[in-house]
Amino acid sequence: MRVYVPLTLPGLAEALKAGELGPAPLDAYAVTPALREWYVSDDIEELEYAALNRAAAASLRRLAGNPSAPRRRVVVAVDVADGQAVADPDRGLDQSALGEVRVASAIPLSKAAAVHVDGPDAEADVSAAAAALGAADQGDDDAQFTVDGAEDHELLWYATQEIPNLID
């Protein structure tokens, strides 16, 4: 099963140093039954893209909580055994929890398939979105528009061998 783990660049540096994504439990995103039902698609690539975008939104939340982190969203795509990532059945179709899973143990970085990171051109919009997140959560439409601006930037794909270059 492919899961998408939201991080920041400092979090990616910690994972590289430790050789694993952790500590457990890890919050991640995947193609869950609820995400399938919400997205109404059988195209696995579209569903995985939706899960990736959910993880990117979670990465933005991590950036909002870490003002010193570079303003680039980071998502690590990792393959884990079926059953290792579990959706919370109590959250059901809660819109905020779509695709959300919990991984019970740390994941070796060697299981990573790829890393997705904002390009440098996204930093201003991601910074503005991180700053506006609290107001957007309170229903401010202008702030939500700013948060949505970060989503206009596609995350770039990087091979796992490129991680040291990303964190320099």
Side-chain angles (χ1 to χ4, degrees):
M1 167 183 240
R2 170 87 26 111
V3 299
Y4 299 90
V5 180
L7 293 176
T8 60
L9 284 173
L12 184 60
E14 289 174 23
L16 181 62
K17 182 178 178 184
E20 66 182 17
L21 297 165
L26 288 167
D27 291 326
Y29 293 80
V31 177
T32 62
L35 183 71
R36 282 182 190 275
E37 187 173 325
W38 172 75
Y39 201 75
V40 191
S41 175
D42 289 330
D43 184 333
I44 190 64
E45 288 182 15
E46 286 183 24
L47 291 165
E48 286 183 350
Y49 184 72
L52 171 66
N53 284 330
R54 303 291 292 183
S59 176
L60 181 65
R61 291 196 173 280
R62 289 175 181 240
L63 288 172
N66 185 354
S68 64
R71 300 334 229 169
R72 295 168 74 185
R73 298 168 297 166
V74 177
V75 176
V76 180
V78 184
D79 294 317
V80 299
D82 288 342
Q84 191 176 353
V86 179
D88 183 347
D90 293 334
R91 296 210 49 200
L93 293 177
D94 177 356
Q95 182 93 11
S96 67
L98 291 173
E100 192 174 278
V101 295
R102 172 93 18 121
V103 180
S105 59
I107 305 169
L109 201 53
S110 62
K111 298 279 188 188
V115 179
H116 303 271
V117 181
D118 276 311
D121 64 320
E123 287 184 17
D125 288 339
V126 170
S127 180
L133 201 53
D137 287 346
Q138 297 300 315
D140 183 319
D141 290 337
D142 291 335
Q144 186 62 54
F145 182 78
T146 301
V147 170
D148 292 343
E151 295 175 11
D152 291 341
H153 296 276
E154 294 287 329
L155 297 179
L156 303 176
W157 181 94
Y158 293 91
T160 56
Q161 299 87 333
E162 297 177 274
I163 292 173
N165 298 332
L166 290 169
I167 59 176
D168 283 344

